[in-house]
Amino acid sequence: MTTEPNFTAGQEPEGKVAALIAWALFILSIPSANVLVLVGLVVSYVARGTAVGVARQHIDSQIRLFWSVIWWTVALWIGIIISIPLAAIGIGIITGLLCGLALFLLSVWFTVKSVLGLISLLQDKPI
């Protein structure tokens, strides 16, 4: 299989449609409780092999974004879980609220980053 770009008139570059779909699924992370993010990640990994140019850069960026956010999400959930037994002494309430707020801000940042990525791809700009 070749990874040469498709220069046929009227055709989208290889991987651009998949990158658009993945950004759109990433944008829907908050309303879908992050379920569609996993679907977007699968789309990114499947399209990665044939994508070229700007589309490939966006797909690589999507994969990096997912893995950076997932580890922060896991760390914050661990912080929330640890804060539950500490709630009896008062410090757990503050810790849990701070971790919950950070988790919310992380989700908002992920969504904003995905919107900016989609806009960039629609303008055929590298990310």
Side-chain angles (χ1 to χ4, degrees):
M1 184 183 315
T2 181
T3 58
E4 295 295 319
N6 184 1
F7 293 115
T8 308
Q11 296 292 321
E12 292 291 337
E14 287 290 326
K16 184 173 182 179
V17 173
L20 287 168
I21 291 169
W23 279 132
L25 291 170
F26 278 20
I27 290 168
L28 295 172
S29 65
I30 292 175
S32 72
N34 294 327
V35 172
L36 293 179
V37 172
L38 298 174
V39 176
L41 181 67
V42 170
V43 169
S44 295
Y45 271 118
V46 168
R48 188 178 192 191
T50 58
V52 294
V54 173
R56 174 63 187 247
Q57 291 174 0
H58 278 269
I59 288 172
D60 288 339
S61 178
Q62 292 163 353
I63 293 169
R64 280 191 310 272
L65 176 64
F66 172 83
W67 286 110
S68 67
V69 169
I70 194 70
W71 294 120
W72 280 108
T73 302
V74 167
L76 290 169
W77 273 109
I78 289 172
I80 290 170
I81 291 167
I82 290 172
S83 70
I84 293 171
L86 297 176
I89 59 174
I91 195 168
I93 295 170
I94 295 169
T95 306
L97 289 174
L98 287 175
C99 287
L101 177 63
L103 191 60
F104 172 74
L105 292 175
L106 182 65
S107 296
V108 170
W109 175 79
F110 180 83
T111 303
V112 168
K113 181 96 169 130
S114 299
V115 168
L116 295 175
L118 179 63
I119 291 169
S120 176
L121 182 60
L122 288 173
Q123 296 173 351
D124 286 325
K125 292 182 182 178
I127 192 137

